[in-house]
Amino acid sequence: MKTSLKPLIIAAEFSAIIAILSQFTIPLGIVPLTGQTFAIGLTATLLGRRSGTLSVLIYLLLGTIGLPVFAGLSGGLSIVFGPTGGYLIGFIFQAWLTGYLVEKNVSSYTWVIFANVIGSFVTLIFGVIWLKASGDLSWNTAIVSGFIPFILPGIIKAVAAGYLGTVIRHRLPNYFSFEQPQS
């Protein structure tokens, strides 16, 4: 398989965008409300599953090695393995699933927004599972602290990412194109 340099450069650029948007943070107890899920959804909507997931992996690698790209200008293994690490791991699956679904029908605003909502719920599920395990919490406590407060903000960010991503794709079709799946 031959890979050109352009998708790799774009994936790296979107890693930087994710890092910047991650700094928009509202503290809410153990798990803050951040711009990360919006950035991941936008990235997956614009780049699709392959380049979008690569972009997230680059972002996570940068944070894991200690660069301050995670929320609150944090980074390092302690963040990845801390109570919010499940959300970070969930971003990989959010990007892949959202990108995969977007590739099925990129021209439909409703479908792209649906793909983003589903993807954001995947991140929340990973986050809750990790939060329960790492914090030795009950399921009820993990869900109440790591899922319920983020449902409405997650939906709002997913709708915004899906809508904005679709607008950008329509306006710049030559810049943001990915291989359409074969039916």
Side-chain angles (χ1 to χ4, degrees), residues 56-67:
V56 171
L57 289 170
I58 293 168
Y59 165 72
L60 293 175
L61 177 65
L62 293 172
T64 301
I65 64 171
L67 293 177

Side-chain angles (χ1 to χ4, degrees), residues 128 131-132 136-149:
V128 166
L131 191 60
K132 184 213 180 302
D136 196 28
L137 304 173
S138 69
W139 280 110
N140 188 48
T141 304
I143 290 169
V144 166
S145 61
F147 190 85
I148 292 174

Side-chain angles (χ1 to χ4, degrees), residues 12-182:
E13 291 171 342
F14 271 83
S15 295
I17 291 169
I18 295 167
I20 291 166
L21 290 175
S22 295
Q23 303 319 310
F24 294 95
T25 305
I26 300 170
L28 287 177
I30 299 173
V31 182
L33 181 64
T34 70
Q36 287 168 310
T37 51
F38 168 77
I40 303 295
L42 183 63
T43 298
T45 299
L46 292 173
L47 303 184
R49 72 176 179 251
R50 293 178 78 203
S51 292
T53 304
L54 177 61
S55 187
V56 171
L57 289 170
I58 293 168
Y59 165 72
L60 293 175
L61 177 65
L62 293 172
T64 301
I65 64 171
L67 293 177
V69 296
F70 297 147
L73 291 173
S74 61
L77 283 173
S78 63
I79 303 299
V80 175
F81 290 107
T84 60
Y87 298 97
L88 296 173
I89 301 304
F91 291 157
I92 299 167
F93 297 94
Q94 176 186 358
W96 190 90
L97 181 60
T98 301
Y100 174 78
L101 292 172
V102 165
E103 289 174 9
K104 295 289 184 191
N105 189 356
V106 70
S107 61
S108 167
Y109 284 98
T110 305
W111 180 256
V112 173
I113 289 169
F114 170 76
N116 273 274
V117 169
I118 296 299
S120 68
F121 276 96
V122 166
T123 294
L124 289 176
I125 291 166
F126 271 85
V128 166
I129 293 168
W130 189 282
L131 191 60
K132 184 213 180 302
S134 71
D136 196 28
L137 304 173
S138 69
W139 280 110
N140 188 48
T141 304
I143 290 169
V144 166
S145 61
F147 190 85
I148 292 174
F150 302 99
I151 293 172
L152 183 59
I155 290 171
I156 291 169
K157 289 186 283 184
V159 168
Y163 180 78
L164 181 61
T166 305
V167 168
I168 292 170
R169 287 187 66 76
H170 280 80
R171 298 218 173 144
L172 301 170
N174 295 329
Y175 191 72
F176 295 109
S177 61
F178 41 74
E179 215 174 281
Q180 291 294 322
Q182 303 300 317

Side-chain angles (χ1 to χ4, degrees), residues 4-15:
S4 72
L5 191 57
K6 180 182 174 185
L8 298 176
I9 291 170
I10 292 172
E13 291 171 342
F14 271 83
S15 295

